[in-house]
Amino acid sequence: MTVVIGFEGSANKIGIGIIRDGEVLSNPRRTYITPPGQGFLPSDTARHHRAVILTVLKEALEQAGLKPADIDCVAYTKGPGMGAPLVTVALVARTVSQLWGKPLLGVNHCIGHIEMGRLITKANNPTVLYVSGGNTQVIAYSEQRYRIFGETIDIAVGNCLDRFARVIKISNDPSPGYNIEQMAKKGSQYVELPYTVKGMDVSFSGILSYIEDAAHKMLSSGQCTSEDLCFSLQETLFSMLVEITERAMAHCGSQEVLIVGGVGCNKYAEAFKFCIDNGAMIAQAGWEMFRSGQVTELEDSWITQRYRTDEVEVTWRD
């Protein structure tokens, strides 16, 4: 049996998970939360991760009932993500790898989401909609690569939601997107917003600029409520994503769609705990890579903030 520990910390969540042949043994996590109206800065996020990462590591081992000697491989998020948090986690993973005398593996964050989704749902060959605070892509597997069929040409859908939450001072606890979703359930009036699909790609900066400029005017004049704006923004953004996902499914002849990433926790998707950034997803991708013979040498164990999904050779799939 192969046991892999995975370190994830590409954004405001720090997680460490342990996988043994498809079984999640532990998956503790901490989230860095800022006051309403504020985002999270890389330096502050990294400071948070440094403060708690050893505690989370201890929890992961204790919950799994394992010792360092039981671990076969140490996987960490190589990218994409925020530089300072990525470096913090990579340094700890490299140190652990050397202290424990275990092989090291740098994992693509997106592929971690995909492989965890495939494990949990048992989907065979799905078209993947990857939606998070930093990424928006429509992906399908072909010939040893996860091919990107469409993506955002500016900001990610989660970033659009987060920045709107700051405009109307929605709480970041537990996350801006979750709180937007709860408010959207109470919205009754649809406010027309820009809808920008360009072939297989989407653009969210225009809709964000529009709603940032119009929100306070509409709210102060009584044209609509904050709940109406949350409802309207969600409906418009998700309609754009559904359009390009359906188009990719038609092109691939696919009967399955897998939604991964933090925005996938919305009620419109399969809302399970593995959508949110977590260590187990990095462990699962690392497990697949390790079993197919991949290892990252110490001198190659850097981080890459812009690490494309389609850069990775998928050696573990036919």
Side-chain angles (χ1 to χ4, degrees), residues 81-120:
M82 301 168 72
L86 283 172
V87 167
T88 297
V89 175
L91 283 171
V92 174
R94 288 189 335 204
T95 303
V96 164
S97 167
Q98 292 176 84
L99 286 173
W100 297 356
K102 305 296 180 181
L104 186 65
L105 260 176
V107 173
N108 179 285
H109 179 84
C110 171
I111 288 177
H113 277 297
I114 294 172
E115 294 306 334
M116 197 68 198
R118 289 179 63 228
L119 172 69
I120 297 299

Side-chain angles (χ1 to χ4, degrees), residues 26-104:
S26 62
N27 199 23
R29 179 177 58 223
R30 299 284 191 282
T31 302
Y32 174 54
I33 296 173
T34 55
Q38 295 181 25
F40 47 92
L41 297 173
S43 58
D44 295 338
T45 307
R47 192 175 300 115
H48 166 267
H49 291 0
R50 287 196 298 272
V52 300
I53 191 167
L54 295 182
T55 301
V56 178
L57 174 57
K58 185 179 179 183
E59 282 181 16
L61 289 169
E62 288 178 349
Q63 289 174 19
L66 298 178
K67 302 181 295 296
D70 302 318
I71 304 296
D72 295 305
C73 179
V74 176
Y76 74 96
T77 301
K78 181 178 177 179
M82 301 168 72
L86 283 172
V87 167
T88 297
V89 175
L91 283 171
V92 174
R94 288 189 335 204
T95 303
V96 164
S97 167
Q98 292 176 84
L99 286 173
W100 297 356
K102 305 296 180 181
L104 186 65

Side-chain angles (χ1 to χ4, degrees), residues 13-259:
K13 295 173 182 64
I14 176 76
I16 300 174
I18 300 177
I19 292 272
R20 180 175 60 203
D21 290 352
E23 180 187 2
V24 180
L25 301 183
S26 62
N27 199 23
R29 179 177 58 223
R30 299 284 191 282
T31 302
Y32 174 54
I33 296 173
T34 55
Q38 295 181 25
F40 47 92
L41 297 173
S43 58
D44 295 338
T45 307
R47 192 175 300 115
H48 166 267
H49 291 0
R50 287 196 298 272
V52 300
I53 191 167
L54 295 182
T55 301
V56 178
L57 174 57
K58 185 179 179 183
E59 282 181 16
L61 289 169
E62 288 178 349
Q63 289 174 19
L66 298 178
K67 302 181 295 296
D70 302 318
I71 304 296
D72 295 305
C73 179
V74 176
Y76 74 96
T77 301
K78 181 178 177 179
M82 301 168 72
L86 283 172
V87 167
T88 297
V89 175
L91 283 171
V92 174
R94 288 189 335 204
T95 303
V96 164
S97 167
Q98 292 176 84
L99 286 173
W100 297 356
K102 305 296 180 181
L104 186 65
L105 260 176
V107 173
N108 179 285
H109 179 84
C110 171
I111 288 177
H113 277 297
I114 294 172
E115 294 306 334
M116 197 68 198
R118 289 179 63 228
L119 172 69
I120 297 299
T121 64
K122 310 300 181 192
N124 179 36
N125 188 25
T127 298
V128 179
L129 174 62
Y130 172 32
V131 280
S132 69
N135 300 277
T136 301
Q137 297 174 340
V138 178
I139 302 159
Y141 173 77
S142 176
E143 297 181 352
Q144 315 287 203
R145 301 271 171 172
Y146 281 114
R147 312 286 176 174
I148 299 172
F149 277 71
E151 60 189 318
T152 176
I153 60 174
D154 39 50
I155 62 172
V157 62
N159 186 240
C160 182
L161 289 165
D162 292 351
R163 287 167 65 178
F164 168 70
R166 290 179 221 166
V167 171
I168 60 172
K169 299 293 191 292
I170 293 175
S171 172
N172 292 326
D173 188 9
S175 72
Y178 174 82
N179 293 322
I180 288 174
E181 179 187 355
Q182 304 318 306
M183 291 177 67
K185 292 174 183 176
K186 301 172 185 173
S188 57
Q189 176 189 348
Y190 178 75
V191 178
E192 192 165 335
L193 299 169
Y195 182 104
T196 313
V197 173
K198 299 174 181 290
M200 282 301 298
D201 295 330
V202 287
S203 170
F204 299 121
S205 59
I207 188 171
L208 177 64
S209 297
Y210 179 88
I211 203 166
E212 281 179 334
D213 182 58
H216 292 304
K217 296 175 188 173
M218 288 191 283
L219 293 173
S220 59
S221 65
Q223 286 178 256
C224 64
T225 64
S226 295
E227 288 78 6
D228 292 334
L229 286 179
C230 290
F231 167 71
S232 303
L233 183 62
Q234 265 198 179
E235 291 298 313
T236 307
L237 295 179
F238 295 167
S239 294
M240 292 160 61
L241 294 169
V242 167
E243 178 181 335
I244 62 171
T245 304
E246 287 181 339
R247 197 173 292 135
M249 292 178 72
H251 181 86
C252 297
S254 172
Q255 299 300 309
E256 298 175 309
V257 62
L258 175 64
I259 304 176

